[in-house]
Amino acid sequence: MDCKKALTEADGDFDKAIELLREKGLAKAAKKADRIAAEGLVKATVCDECGVGAIIEVNSETDFVAKNADFQQFVSDVANVVIKDAPADIEALKACKMDALQEKVLTIGENLQIRRFERFDNSTVNVAYNHMGGVIGVLVGLEVSEGLKDNAAVKELGKDIGMQAAAMNPSFLDKSDVDEATLAKEKEILLIQALEENKTAAKPKPEQIIHKMVDGRIGKYYEENCLLQQAFVKENKVSVEAHIKAVAKELGGEIKLVKCVRFEKGEGIEKKVDDFAAEVASMAK
């Protein structure tokens, strides 16, 4: 009922309704994953020879096709084309691989779409992490001192960071990346929450104290939404940033996380949900 009221108040705008729920303390996070679905595969990969990395998402109509070995090989092939040819955008990539794409559409019998990709050149040490058989892929780019480029511990660190990003889905790499508009909106929501809490408090606090509380809570926002400030999944008493520094110190060099891209299959795509019972009834007629 709270969700329904928020949607009514927001005139059906999901983002605004989530914001209203958060202001009232009725929603912990503005996650949309529950209403997003699409089939296909995400693939992150790094070339063993040249060190260039790529991450790609290719969509299919059904999950059945996504599990097909031919489709999975096609996705790997396209990722390798991204590494080799460095296309500027999707259209340029399709031009590189158009014949193969058309051939796969005919062979598999479904509409296939190369949706998006990112490519990291070999100026960074790139590490790929794939989760749940292609549901989530992460590509990590580490800037390291010369002697650490082929170090196994650096690759392990990259894998751990990829696992962190896959599990925690950060919105930003670092707190310095949070734009002013996002920060202002978050402060507004936190202020409304704090004022609502203050109304029912046994000893209400002065408004200037409330504003200081909000500033303190922004730190928590960074810890939840910024990769480097998040608690490290393997040792939650330290942040990801602190863990990277500790590994660098142990190896006697410098390591800096400069790039991280996370793709989740179907992210941002609204999938049509068919009424199977109605479809069967219609066919029976």
Side-chain angles (χ1 to χ4, degrees), residues 40-43 45 56-60 65-82 90 93-108 110-115:
L41 197 67
V42 170
K43 174 81 173 180
T45 187
I56 187 165
E57 179 182 1
V58 182
N59 296 127
S60 61
V65 161
K67 293 175 181 176
N68 179 290
D70 281 347
F71 176 76
Q72 293 173 0
Q73 185 60 52
F74 172 67
V75 175
S76 294
D77 290 345
V78 176
N80 289 331
V81 170
V82 171
I90 291 292
L93 174 56
K94 285 181 177 178
C96 296
K97 205 68 182 175
M98 185 55 72
D99 291 341
L101 177 60
Q102 289 174 341
E103 181 184 333
K104 285 297 174 190
V105 169
L106 290 171
T107 303
I108 293 172
E110 281 197 7
N111 180 29
L112 307 180
Q113 292 294 329
I114 301 172
R115 185 184 176 209

Side-chain angles (χ1 to χ4, degrees), residues 140-242:
V140 174
L142 297 167
E143 199 173 83
V144 304
S145 46
E146 192 63 34
L148 299 181
K149 286 193 173 178
D150 295 317
N151 193 294
V154 172
K155 300 287 177 69
E156 185 65 25
L157 173 64
K159 185 180 177 183
D160 286 343
I161 293 170
M163 190 186 304
Q164 173 91 25
M168 304 306 293
N169 192 15
S171 302
F172 303 95
L173 186 70
D174 182 65
K175 62 183 180 181
S176 62
D177 298 325
V178 182
D179 58 276
E180 286 300 321
T182 299
L183 201 56
K185 176 56 68 177
E186 192 60 29
K187 284 182 177 179
E188 180 186 333
I189 290 170
L190 290 172
L191 179 59
I192 293 170
Q193 285 178 353
L195 291 171
E196 287 296 317
E197 290 167 12
N198 202 43
K199 285 179 185 177
T200 57
K203 291 182 179 180
K205 297 178 177 64
E207 192 166 324
Q208 63 266 31
I209 300 297
I210 297 295
H211 282 277
K212 286 182 180 178
M213 285 170 56
V214 168
D215 289 338
R217 290 179 183 181
I218 282 295
K220 183 69 175 173
Y221 173 80
Y222 290 143
E223 289 172 13
E224 290 176 352
N225 294 277
C226 303
L227 178 56
L228 285 167
Q229 281 72 49
Q230 286 181 340
F232 182 47
V233 287
K234 285 190 170 181
E235 175 51 74
N236 61 16
K237 291 181 181 178
V238 299
S239 67
V240 172
E241 190 172 31

Side-chain angles (χ1 to χ4, degrees), residues 246-261:
V247 173
K249 185 177 179 181
E250 187 178 328
L251 297 176
E254 294 183 7
I255 305 172
K256 185 180 179 183
L257 175 63
V258 291
K259 294 182 283 189
C260 183
V261 173

